[in-house]
Amino acid sequence: MKGIMNLRVVLVLTLLIVSTTFLFGCGSGSGSTTPAVNGGTTGTNGTGTNGMIGGTAVKGPISSGTVTAYEINGGTMGPQLASATTDTQGNFTMNIGSYTGPVMLQLGGGAYIDEATGTVMPMEPGDVMTAVISSATGTAMSGIQITPLTSMAQALAQYMSGGMTEANITAANSAVGAYFMVNDILHTQPMNPLVQGSGSTATTGAKNYGMTIAAMTQYANTIGMTDSSGIVTAMMDDASDGILNGMMGSTSITMGGSMMGGTMMQSTAGTSGLANAMSTFIGSTMNKSGLTITDMQNLINQLSTSSGQIESTGTGTAGANGMIGGTVFTGLVKSATVMAFAVNNGMIGAQLASRTTDTQGNFTMSFGAYSGPLMLQATGATYTDLATGATTTSSLGDIMTAVISSVTSGETVTGIQITPLTSMAQARAQYMTGGMTAANITAANTAVGNYFMVSDILHTEPMDPLVSGSGTGATADAQDYGMTIAAMLQYAQSIGLTDPSAIITAMMDDASDGVMNGMMGSTSITLSGMGGGMMGGGGTMMQSTAGTSGLADAMTTFINNTSVNQSGLTTTNMQTLINQLNTSNGTIQ
């Protein structure tokens, strides 16, 4: 779905630009590329050549992963400094130039050998590993580890009062190390228990480190998680408030990727759960280290009897975790990646968190100590096409978004919807004068809601018209919401779009200038991906009436197709909204 000035393209390009300026920033100066020293490759980096960071990404060594270094400003993640790709042993080297100060490393993508099964597994979308360094001095730093333990320490530091300050970073790294009996989680290289005899020469810290990571993977396998990288995300969430108890503040942690499609994290996962998993792994054929339960008894005992408290002596206290939860809906959605971004001066800012939705489209994540406007973005959704009932996957680049005018540090926000309507409102706010300010966000959400007769598009849960009798107990707002989304997908089918989610992108483009007329400003919107539909192959211009009478007609068609419309609602029930769309001049106000 590409328009001449397609909003998705604009937004994706904006995010890419943000990834070198705001979201992930850019180092100062012209940038350069340097060869890797200990393996891997480096990307562009800031002025200067002395600030080198080298190390290893380990959850089992992660090959072909992308490691990105960020400045830390005021306790939060700042501009990108450099990036590198890990080699087959998980090694990377990058040049961060002349930057001095705290640094955050983030690894995404790549693949590793799962210790519990011996199979190669990818880092799943939305799962990352991180590490924080209290201070870069402009000199070479080598042997830095990025592991599940450094990730837990980064999460703890981020959500302590004041965020990732030097003192909090030091305290968090020390506290997580003490919890797992590893003296220095940043510089100790974990023993790889899949390597024959690896325990014979390893230090105690390296043994404890490697066996802890293996225990996490074994625990993931024991509870039926199909991707063990998800256990890292869960442990990061659990560690963020300073106590391993299956909770993130007062919110239970949902673990995705299980055979059952998601389950609540057990309160003992990070204590006796890991101890039992470690014993199981040690006794398995996968353990090639030569170590026995006797060798690991001190750590097993510590985990078994732990209260879960991660002792920290930082300047701040953990627990300032702002939580946000809700649902992605364009029909029933599963396995979408939801990312939360700060909004700075009306523009997309730093990424705050990411999470994969469960089989019902639900998500929960922490935005930490951040306060201010917040943007959510959902990508890669598998959803039920309301017009056909078929399971469909969003095409690469088709996204849905939502914007919230303000969140407060430590606040819990629930019931947020990410839908085609919130996406249109985000597009509208983004292109209003001043961009996504709190006032513009409020105005855009209200205006799009008024257009489709939904009083609160952010918090009203759309009715799912594919569910039998769903219209009976639904409010008028929920009925209008669900039927509007169904009408969009019905319209996509009626014009022959082979990618139904592309209609959302087109509607975002159309809404951005405040008038639904098939134009984005003065430029006509091009619909592509017509396939063998009634308008033939190639592309065609979006009709000027697509967002007005086009949607009204599509809604009527959908309502009368009782093979998919199971809501029990008729055109009589929806006549007021149908009339409003039919007679609208397209102005969103």
Side-chain angles (χ1 to χ4, degrees):
M1 210 12 250
K2 298 176 181 177
I4 294 173
M5 290 182 62
N6 187 280
L7 177 61
R8 170 179 56 78
V9 174
V10 172
L11 187 54
V12 169
L13 286 174
T14 299
L15 288 170
L16 288 174
I17 292 168
V18 164
S19 74
T20 55
T21 53
F22 290 94
L23 170 58
F24 301 127
C26 66
S28 59
S30 59
S32 61
T33 301
T34 57
V37 175
N38 297 320
T41 59
T42 58
T44 55
N45 29 259
T47 302
T49 57
N50 294 325
M52 303 293 295
I53 297 179
T56 310
V58 181
K59 195 205 169 297
I62 297 178
S63 62
S64 301
T66 300
V67 179
T68 308
Y70 302 97
E71 295 181 17
I72 295 176
N73 298 324
T76 62
M77 186 175 71
Q80 177 180 320
L81 294 166
S83 66
T85 303
T86 60
D87 66 14
T88 56
Q89 298 303 307
N91 299 314
F92 66 92
T93 303
M94 65 180 76
N95 181 354
I96 64 168
S98 58
Y99 172 77
T100 59
V103 173
M104 173 176 160
L105 302 175
Q106 182 179 81
L107 175 135
Y112 59 94
I113 298 176
D114 179 86
E115 292 97 331
T117 62
T119 58
V120 176
M121 288 189 178
M123 286 289 291
E124 293 294 324
D127 291 332
V128 299
M129 293 202 308
T130 55
V132 275
I133 303 168
S134 60
S135 182
T137 61
T139 59
M141 294 181 290
S142 61
I144 299 296
Q145 305 298 306
I146 306 175
T147 71
L149 272 60
T150 63
S151 303
M152 294 168 71
Q154 180 273 317
L156 176 59
Q158 180 173 348
Y159 301 125
M160 291 169 70
S161 177
M164 294 180 285
T165 63
E166 292 186 25
N168 285 348
I169 290 170
T170 299
N173 283 332
S174 176
V176 172
Y179 188 88
F180 293 106
M181 301 178 68
V182 180
N183 184 53
D184 183 352
I185 61 174
L186 266 185
H187 297 94
T188 301
Q189 185 166 4
M191 173 198 71
N192 187 346
L194 302 188
V195 173
Q196 193 72 38
S198 55
S200 61
T201 58
T203 65
T204 300
K207 293 174 186 178
N208 290 341
Y209 211 156
M211 281 299 186
T212 295
I213 296 171
M216 290 182 184
T217 302
Q218 184 67 52
Y219 184 84
N221 180 260
T222 300
I223 64 173
M225 293 186 78
T226 53
D227 61 272
S228 58
S229 66
I231 195 66
V232 181
T233 302
M235 289 291 177
M236 289 174 70
D237 289 347
D238 203 4
S240 63
D241 61 1
I243 184 167
L244 294 173
N245 62 353
M247 306 280 285
M248 195 172 185
S250 60
T251 303
S252 296
I253 297 166
T254 301
M255 302 177 73
S258 75
M259 293 177 180
M260 302 302 293
T263 186
M264 304 310 289
M265 190 176 192
Q266 295 296 305
S267 62
T268 56
T271 53
S272 60
L274 281 183
N276 293 335
M278 189 175 295
S279 297
T280 299
F281 175 80
I282 291 170
S284 75
T285 58
M286 296 307 301
N287 175 27
K288 306 295 185 184
S289 68
L291 299 179
T292 66
I293 289 180
T294 301
D295 297 310
M296 300 306 302
Q297 198 65 61
N298 287 342
L299 178 55
I300 291 172
N301 289 344
Q302 175 157 308
L303 292 172
S304 289
T305 60
S306 174
S307 66
Q309 187 71 45
I310 301 174
E311 298 296 337
S312 171
T313 58
T315 57
T317 55
N321 292 336
M323 300 292 298
I324 188 164
T327 307
V328 183
F329 185 82
T330 179
L332 181 65
V333 167
K334 60 181 179 180
S335 301
T337 298
V338 180
M339 292 175 283
F341 298 95
V343 176
N344 298 324
N345 298 317
M347 300 178 64
I348 302 164
Q351 180 177 328
L352 300 170
S354 67
R355 186 65 77 248
T356 301
T357 63
D358 65 16
T359 55
Q360 301 299 307
N362 300 312
F363 65 92
T364 303
M365 60 182 139
S366 171
F367 56 84
Y370 173 76
S371 295
L374 184 141
M375 173 177 156
L376 299 172
Q377 176 182 290
T379 61
T382 298
Y383 65 97
T384 304
D385 182 353
L386 297 178
T388 64
T391 300
T392 308
T393 300
S394 297
S395 293
L396 182 66
D398 286 332
I399 62 175
M400 291 199 297
T401 54
V403 276
I404 303 168
S405 60
S406 181
V407 296
T408 303
S409 175
E411 178 185 13
T412 297
V413 182
T414 60
I416 296 297
Q417 305 297 307
I418 305 176
T419 71
L421 271 61
T422 63
S423 303
M424 293 168 69
Q426 181 274 318
R428 178 68 189 121
Q430 182 172 349
Y431 293 107
M432 292 170 72
T433 302
M436 293 181 287
T437 63
N440 286 348
I441 290 169
T442 299
N445 283 331
T446 299
V448 171
N450 290 340
Y451 190 87
F452 294 107
M453 300 180 64
V454 181
S455 60
D456 184 351
I457 61 173
L458 270 183
H459 297 94
T460 300
E461 185 174 354
M463 173 197 71
D464 187 343
L466 300 191
V467 174
S468 181
S470 55
T472 303
T475 65
D477 280 348
Q479 292 173 356
D480 290 343
Y481 210 155
M483 282 299 186
T484 294
I485 296 171
M488 289 183 184
L489 295 170
Q490 183 67 52
Y491 184 84
Q493 186 193 43
S494 70
I495 63 173
L497 279 176
T498 55
D499 170 21
S501 65
I503 196 64
I504 301 170
T505 305
M507 291 291 176
M508 290 173 70
D509 288 349
D510 204 3
S512 63
D513 61 2
V515 181
M516 302 294 292
N517 61 354
M519 308 277 285
M520 190 174 179
S522 59
T523 304
S524 296
I525 298 167
T526 302
L527 294 163
S528 60
M530 302 300 293
M534 35 186 305
M535 292 189 181
T540 187
M541 307 309 282
M542 188 177 188
Q543 295 296 305
S544 62
T545 57
T548 54
S549 59
L551 281 182
D553 293 341
M555 189 176 295
T556 301
T557 300
F558 175 82
I559 290 170
N560 290 330
N561 184 0
T562 54
S563 65
V564 285
N565 175 25
Q566 301 292 312
S567 68
L569 300 178
T570 67
T571 51
T572 300
N573 300 120
M574 302 306 303
Q575 199 63 59
T576 303
L577 177 55
I578 291 170
N579 289 344
Q580 176 159 307
L581 292 171
N582 258 326
T583 59
S584 174
N585 65 4
T587 302
I588 299 174
Q589 57 186 5

